[in-house]
Amino acid sequence: MTTVKKYNFTYEDIHSTIRDASLAIKEADYQPDYLLAIGGGGLIPARIMRTFITRPILTVALSRYSDEIGTAPADTPIKLQWLEGKVNLNGKKVLVIDEVDDQRTTLDFTLNELIEHYPDTEFSAFVVHNKLKEKKGQLPEKLNHFFIGRDINDYWINYAWDAEDIATFGQ
Ligand SMILES: O=P(O)(O)OC[C@H]1O[C@H](OP(=O)(O)OP(=O)(O)O)[C@H](O)[C@@H]1O
């Protein structure tokens, strides 16, 4: 029997990784004006990061799937929700946050959309986990910084927030 290699990332793992990354971001002298979570996976990481980098959180929501039950992969991610026009991002620094960079499709799509629609905004990105693998997408040249919490192998990931029974998660 083959064992599927996997990671089980607890809330404590994730919190610690984001804390360490936040310190590195501060040491790099990068100070965003806004944190921008890519939902759903980037929502909890963005909120944890706000504990260390106290900036308002904006959100966009994307899906890699073209149906609501997640069985029909889309060629490009689907925008479920996007930024409203009320926040003026001109001249601002925005740190885009997601939990994992896998094939890089989501970051490629999201960052390019943002850069196209907000040409006077400086975008950087942070992912809690970066899978070390050949990527399908690319990071835009105009991306200011790319911060990584932890480089990991290309294994299946279980995040604590996916647990139906948190008491036995990872056991
Ligand atoms: O680098 P990629 O191959 O694009 O994969 C990473 C993306 O996949 C997941 O999103 P998903 O669309 O599954 O939805 P979720 O964030 O709601 O879990 C995850 O949250 C990332 O956004």
Side-chain angles (χ1 to χ4, degrees):
M1 200 176 85
T2 54
T3 317
V4 179
K5 291 185 174 176
K6 63 182 186 202
Y7 292 107
N8 295 317
F9 290 122
T10 66
Y11 286 115
E12 191 171 339
D13 291 329
I14 297 156
H15 199 103
S16 298
T17 299
I18 295 173
R19 179 202 58 210
D20 292 349
S22 300
L23 295 178
I25 287 170
K26 284 183 182 175
E27 278 172 17
D29 213 15
Y30 171 69
Q31 296 173 358
D33 297 294
Y34 291 97
L35 308 178
L36 194 164
I38 303 178
L43 297 173
I44 295 174
R47 176 59 189 86
I48 294 172
M49 183 161 268
R50 199 184 74 183
T51 298
F52 306 100
I53 297 177
T54 50
R55 292 291 183 271
I57 297 175
L58 307 173
T59 61
V60 296
L62 297 174
S63 175
R64 300 288 316 279
Y65 300 97
S66 58
D67 66 359
E68 295 204 343
I69 54 173
T71 52
D75 291 338
T76 55
I78 311 288
K79 281 181 183 171
L80 299 176
Q81 187 171 34
W82 205 246
L83 290 176
E84 289 189 15
K86 289 179 186 161
V87 53
N88 183 358
L89 295 181
N90 283 352
K92 304 292 187 191
K93 293 180 186 159
V94 177
L95 181 59
V96 178
I97 299 173
D98 211 347
E99 92 281 33
V100 61
D101 178 13
D102 189 337
Q103 297 180 330
R104 199 157 278 173
T105 308
T106 301
L107 280 186
D108 180 334
F109 176 83
T110 308
L111 293 170
N112 278 300
E113 286 282 311
L114 289 168
I115 287 168
E116 184 182 337
H117 289 98
Y118 298 91
D120 298 321
T121 302
E122 186 189 288
F123 289 98
S124 294
F126 165 69
V127 291
V128 183
H129 296 118
N130 173 47
K131 285 192 179 180
L132 295 170
K133 64 192 289 186
E134 196 170 327
K135 305 289 188 179
K136 287 190 180 164
Q138 290 182 9
L139 298 174
E141 279 183 17
K142 276 190 73 179
L143 190 68
N144 200 254
H145 296 279
F146 184 46
F147 299 107
I148 292 168
R150 197 178 143 194
D151 287 315
I152 60 171
N153 292 317
D154 187 16
Y155 300 162
W156 181 259
I157 304 175
N158 294 317
Y159 284 107
W161 48 75
D162 288 320
E164 291 187 0
D165 180 1
I166 195 66
T168 60
F169 178 73
Q171 292 176 3

